[in-house]
Amino acid sequence: MTEEADAAPRKIIHVDMDAFYASVEQRDDPSLRGRPVAVGGSARRGVVAAASYEARVFGVRSAMPSVTAKRRCPELVFVSPRFDHYRDISRQIRSIFARYSDQVEPLSLDEAYLDVTADRARLGSATATAQAIRAAIREETALTASAGVSYNKFLAKIASDQHKPDGLCVITPAQGPAFVAALPVRRFHGVGPRTAERMARLGIHTGADLRACERAFLERHFGKFAGYLYGAARGEDQRPVRPERQRKSIGAERTFGEDLEDSAAVQAALDRIADTLWARVEAQPLRGRTVTVKVKYSDFRLLTRACSVAVPVETPERLRELASAAVAPLLPPARGIRLLGIALSALAAPGPPAAAVAEPAPGQQSLAF
């Protein structure tokens, strides 16, 4: 790390709700508690959006086809997702975060980074702050969250997964390098299965193996990703928590139980997806200028068509109009359509961006770990 980072390390917390969608459903329906639950469609082409820990024991995971999940766990209970409800609860959780820091970077409905370098709640340590946040979430939502506490985002995110569910892990600057050295590279954020396989062929299995590689070697094999890997292998990550982290797009899609074969059916489905998307847009202080329609055919061929305008889309009627214009060249469909999706991008949010790095306010002290 740099001298500056060594002298005054940040205090970062990564909070990750435990099996969020599935836990909400188990909370709201006592008959589901203790049972393997999958949030998603149970139809032949359904996909698991989230799985309870009871289901994960059987190997059920998010993004898994529902038929595969049911085969792995015959007792699996499918529950239709309620995204509006999950968003409401997410807003409740974010209001809890705001009590402890104004430097909060949401990553999704169920996880966020907090920079608590400034002791806003005057609890004396980042660990105590994480404990207080988890306790408040449990008391006010009857849900559990796991948290990781460290001096950068890379380690905080890994730490939050160490003792799931309902766990807390702290990695101090003194512990960071040794912790990373023993870490399998597949657990590095951003290292997917294919990258892990490529690393294995190069003899890189752990953080220690990665740290032994010269930067030039990493650049030759991993390109732009090399800089991140080189720093992460040393427990370094200088990315700040960004409170105004702007989304690149907002989308909604649907996979159909039966292929759509005619223009009228496609248009009707597109209108319903547009309405779902608009509900998500209204929950954000964002508006966009580009509407992209995604079409997946029965043979899994995928096409996208986009339509951009000079003025941001302000109404659901306008969204439906632009989505229809984007898909019009593809109608009537040349073959059955199994999936439709709409995304709104070129997003803009009002107001100036917040400061990227938290600094102690007058009279406040920097937190300890």
Side-chain angles (χ1 to χ4, degrees):
M1 289 190 292
T2 64
E3 279 186 28
E4 181 182 355
D6 282 334
R10 295 186 181 103
K11 315 300 186 302
I12 307 295
I13 300 173
H14 180 256
V15 180
D16 193 4
M17 299 300 296
D18 298 322
F20 183 49
Y21 299 168
S23 294
V24 169
E25 298 301 337
Q26 289 178 315
R27 180 199 70 175
D28 293 350
D29 183 352
S31 71
L32 297 176
R33 295 173 190 170
R35 301 174 66 186
V37 172
V39 175
S42 59
R44 179 169 57 91
R45 293 181 177 176
V47 175
V48 175
S52 69
Y53 284 98
E54 294 87 352
R56 295 182 189 188
V57 171
F58 294 90
V60 177
R61 296 289 185 270
S62 62
M64 176 180 287
S66 297
V67 291
T68 303
K70 191 70 174 177
R71 187 162 56 245
R72 292 190 178 187
C73 180
E75 302 302 315
L76 189 63
V77 180
F78 283 92
V79 180
S80 296
R82 299 182 293 160
F83 291 111
D84 288 341
H85 187 46
Y86 307 147
R87 277 188 285 274
D88 288 342
I89 298 169
S90 179
R91 282 190 285 268
Q92 184 181 2
I93 293 166
R94 290 181 189 179
S95 71
I96 294 173
F97 294 158
R99 300 172 200 167
Y100 299 90
S101 176
D102 57 3
Q103 303 293 304
V104 179
E105 180 182 340
L107 301 179
S108 61
L109 293 180
D110 62 344
E111 63 175 319
Y113 289 112
L114 293 79
D115 189 324
V116 296
T117 307
D119 191 358
R120 181 174 182 175
R122 300 186 182 277
L123 294 176
S125 75
T127 301
T129 302
Q131 290 170 330
I133 290 170
R134 293 175 60 242
I137 290 172
R138 181 191 290 274
E139 180 178 349
E140 297 175 34
T141 71
L143 299 169
T144 64
S146 295
V149 180
S150 198
Y151 55 96
N152 62 43
K153 293 166 81 172
F154 166 67
L155 285 169
K157 186 171 178 65
I158 290 175
S160 69
D161 197 46
Q162 279 294 101
H163 303 309
K164 268 188 165 290
D166 196 20
L168 174 66
C169 177
V170 180
I171 303 173
T172 68
Q175 298 166 335
F179 179 90
V180 173
L183 196 69
V185 289
R186 65 178 180 275
R187 289 198 56 199
F188 279 50
H189 181 57
V191 175
R194 290 185 180 179
T195 302
E197 288 175 8
R198 194 188 322 165
M199 288 181 170
R201 290 195 294 270
L202 295 170
I204 304 171
H205 303 281
T206 66
D209 297 332
L210 190 60
R211 184 168 184 168
C213 298
E214 295 182 355
R215 183 187 288 268
F217 175 86
L218 295 176
E219 289 174 348
R220 188 162 63 251
H221 289 281
F222 303 104
K224 294 180 179 179
F225 196 39
Y228 163 78
L229 292 173
Y230 187 84
R234 290 156 176 77
E236 300 174 4
D237 179 7
Q238 299 305 318
R239 294 173 301 157
V241 171
R242 299 188 182 278
E244 294 300 322
R245 182 177 183 267
Q246 186 168 313
R247 298 181 63 166
K248 294 183 179 179
S249 67
I250 305 173
E253 63 181 43
R254 182 181 174 190
T255 299
F256 306 104
E258 300 293 335
D259 293 340
L260 305 182
E261 302 283 355
D262 62 78
S263 299
V266 172
Q267 187 60 61
L270 203 65
D271 287 346
R272 289 192 294 272
I273 295 168
D275 289 342
T276 299
L277 172 56
W278 190 254
R280 297 177 183 178
V281 170
E282 286 194 314
Q284 303 284 338
L286 301 169
R287 293 295 183 268
R289 295 185 297 102
T290 298
V291 175
T292 302
V293 174
K294 177 169 71 172
V295 179
K296 183 181 288 186
Y297 292 103
S298 54
D299 59 1
F300 289 89
R301 183 186 178 200
L302 182 65
L303 291 178
T304 60
R305 293 293 183 270
C307 182
S308 296
V309 290
V311 178
V313 178
E314 293 289 351
T315 66
E317 292 79 15
R318 182 62 168 154
L319 177 63
R320 288 196 293 270
E321 177 187 343
L322 293 173
S324 297
V327 82
L330 304 179
L331 298 179
R335 59 187 66 80
I337 292 175
R338 62 178 283 124
L339 177 147
L340 280 174
I342 307 175
L344 185 64
S345 58
L347 302 176
V357 181
E359 296 292 345
Q364 290 184 319
Q365 298 297 317
S366 178
L367 277 179
F369 282 95

